[in-house]
Amino acid sequence: MIYKNLKPFPENFLWGASTSAYQVEGAADEDGKSPSIIDMYEHPEGVADFSVASDHYHRYKEDIALFAELGLKAYRFSVAWTRILPDGTGKINEKGLEFYRNVIEECRRYHIEPVVTMYHFDLPYCLEEKGGWTNRDTIDAFVNYAQVLFKNFGHSVKYWLTINEQNTMILHPGAIGLPKGGKLPSKKELYQQNHHMMLAQALVMKLFHRMVPEGKIGPALNLTAMYPATCSPEDSIAAHNWEVLRCWNFADVPVFGTYHPLAWSYLCDRGIAPEIKSGDMEILKDASPDFIAMNYYSTATIAASRGDASDVAARAGDQQIMLGEQGVYRPAENPNVGKTEYGWVVDPVGFRYTLRKVYERYHLPILITENGIGAPDRLEDDGSIHDTYRIDFIRDHLRHSYDR
């Protein structure tokens, strides 16, 4: 649609950037922090682990000063559960609380709004040894962890994200990391973990509304609109299949308190539906998220399944992410979108398309929590990087994010 008049971004719009604890903090075993599953994952030979990362743990003051210089109005970061509760539950590590209190205060000093992610892939390894998210006790552990966070930071942080990209953890566990021995959970186990995360999330959102009534909380999901490869009805059905299984089923549960009916039919048909105990569906009801947080990188194009192994292919540049599912859908090429040098789709118009779909489905405010481009940047002799492609990417996505 071509509008006659475009509204400007609101004056109080939260221009920000995002990090996660394990990707930037480093100091993996300092000041009482225990190992997370990320710390214990296998790392390919020649690839660094996260023990140093960007050393944000020691450099947060200069980092946040740079954020202010950049003009950021918000900083989304995650709390490492293992810094707060090294045993997963029980005794609180005061050094961990002190670090995040200092980060929040430093943000406030520069008038930067802190946005806290409670869980960004890094389950305490001590809980993983007891079954991790497959064990229902982890639900109680997460609620206990949330209570500690809300009690200590609820007065100084308004915006909270529960679980980052739960759909990625379930659909593409290998993209996050490989356990020792390289064996990933079965689909049945993954959807049981998903159910337990949904229960934990619902309980935490209800707890938050009691403890932090002036705050805002919501899930953070990787959401992507799907295009049918052609105008054939079969391709359209396949695109809808994957949009439901990849996106809506993971957002419907926290917003509506129920599994998407098509997704549930699929889970039952494949024999991978989770065990739902008495009272579980009551827990999922009325969690009432205040917004949807959305990570958007690209769209996907989908064709009808051929019902054989050719339905499945590795995503360009990432052998840990398999696209397609036999009998459900197959990935297809789209000549109308761009690609990065790593093979990722670049689709700023798809950003607008996805935003439309998310808002018309949930009628909740949307917080864009991740977006960006990966590229093989070249560092010049003078220390500069001539990344006009990144400038173009950000400009185009911003324009389409507000074009409606």
Side-chain angles (χ1 to χ4, degrees), residues 264-276:
W264 188 253
S265 176
Y266 157 83
L267 294 173
C268 293
D269 180 74
R270 295 306 198 260
I272 55 177
E275 177 191 8
I276 296 181

Side-chain angles (χ1 to χ4, degrees), residues 51-158:
S51 57
V52 176
S54 303
D55 200 25
H56 187 60
Y57 188 77
H58 299 112
R59 298 174 180 268
Y60 70 90
K61 286 189 176 183
E62 59 190 276
D63 289 344
I64 294 171
L66 287 170
F67 299 164
E69 186 180 330
L70 185 61
L72 298 189
K73 302 300 180 187
Y75 173 37
R76 177 214 175 186
F77 60 93
S78 74
V79 172
W81 186 343
T82 49
R83 287 201 193 280
I84 304 300
L85 297 165
D87 297 323
T89 58
K91 187 177 180 181
I92 298 169
N93 178 28
E94 293 298 330
K95 282 284 189 179
L97 291 178
E98 180 184 6
F99 170 68
Y100 293 110
R101 190 176 296 116
N102 290 341
V103 169
I104 292 165
E105 289 175 357
E106 200 69 14
C107 285
R108 292 294 183 197
R109 189 160 81 87
Y110 288 97
H111 306 289
I112 294 173
E113 189 76 38
V115 180
V116 170
T117 306
M118 300 172 60
Y119 181 73
H120 198 125
F121 305 157
D122 50 353
L123 186 73
Y125 190 69
C126 56
L127 295 183
E128 178 69 11
E129 291 182 302
K130 298 176 182 177
W133 284 109
T134 306
N135 184 346
R136 285 183 72 104
D137 289 345
T138 302
I139 299 171
D140 296 330
F142 188 64
V143 173
N144 175 64
Y145 164 58
Q147 189 169 27
V148 173
L149 294 185
F150 300 156
K151 180 179 178 181
N152 285 275
F153 306 126
H155 62 285
S156 55
V157 175
K158 180 178 180 179

Side-chain angles (χ1 to χ4, degrees), residues 97-307:
L97 291 178
E98 180 184 6
F99 170 68
Y100 293 110
R101 190 176 296 116
N102 290 341
V103 169
I104 292 165
E105 289 175 357
E106 200 69 14
C107 285
R108 292 294 183 197
R109 189 160 81 87
Y110 288 97
H111 306 289
I112 294 173
E113 189 76 38
V115 180
V116 170
T117 306
M118 300 172 60
Y119 181 73
H120 198 125
F121 305 157
D122 50 353
L123 186 73
Y125 190 69
C126 56
L127 295 183
E128 178 69 11
E129 291 182 302
K130 298 176 182 177
W133 284 109
T134 306
N135 184 346
R136 285 183 72 104
D137 289 345
T138 302
I139 299 171
D140 296 330
F142 188 64
V143 173
N144 175 64
Y145 164 58
Q147 189 169 27
V148 173
L149 294 185
F150 300 156
K151 180 179 178 181
N152 285 275
F153 306 126
H155 62 285
S156 55
V157 175
K158 180 178 180 179
Y159 298 102
W160 294 77
L161 311 175
T162 50
I163 297 174
N164 180 75
E165 291 196 358
Q166 185 169 332
N167 48 345
T168 297
M169 284 188 276
I170 302 307
L171 298 170
H172 305 295
I176 297 165
L178 291 175
K180 297 297 183 185
K183 185 182 178 185
L184 293 169
S186 68
K187 281 194 173 184
K188 174 77 171 177
E189 292 169 322
L190 287 167
Y191 279 103
Q192 190 66 54
Q193 291 177 12
N194 179 64
H195 182 63
H196 294 163
M197 285 187 213
M198 292 295 189
L199 292 169
Q201 178 170 244
L203 289 167
V204 162
M205 288 195 287
K206 292 175 183 179
L207 175 68
F208 178 84
H209 291 132
R210 294 194 299 271
M211 292 185 68
V212 192
E214 301 302 314
K216 305 289 184 183
I217 194 167
L221 294 164
N222 185 297
L223 299 177
T224 298
M226 306 292 168
Y227 303 126
T230 71
C231 57
S232 83
E234 289 80 8
D235 285 353
S236 293
I237 285 289
H240 183 250
N241 284 346
W242 191 227
E243 210 166 70
V244 167
L245 298 179
R246 186 192 187 283
C247 300
W248 310 142
N249 191 46
F250 292 91
D252 280 12
V253 179
V255 177
F256 302 135
T258 57
Y259 284 94
H260 191 290
L262 175 62
W264 188 253
S265 176
Y266 157 83
L267 294 173
C268 293
D269 180 74
R270 295 306 198 260
I272 55 177
E275 177 191 8
I276 296 181
K277 293 193 173 183
S278 176
D280 283 0
M281 299 312 294
E282 289 301 314
I283 290 172
L284 294 178
K285 287 181 182 176
D286 302 319
S288 303
D290 299 292
F291 57 83
I292 292 282
M294 173 178 139
N295 299 347
Y296 172 88
Y297 291 98
S298 62
T299 49
T301 301
I302 305 303
S305 162
R306 293 176 184 164

Side-chain angles (χ1 to χ4, degrees), residues 40-43 173-174 177-185 320:
M40 301 302 289
Y41 277 152
E42 291 186 346
H43 298 280
L178 291 175
K180 297 297 183 185
K183 185 182 178 185
L184 293 169
Q320 295 300 335

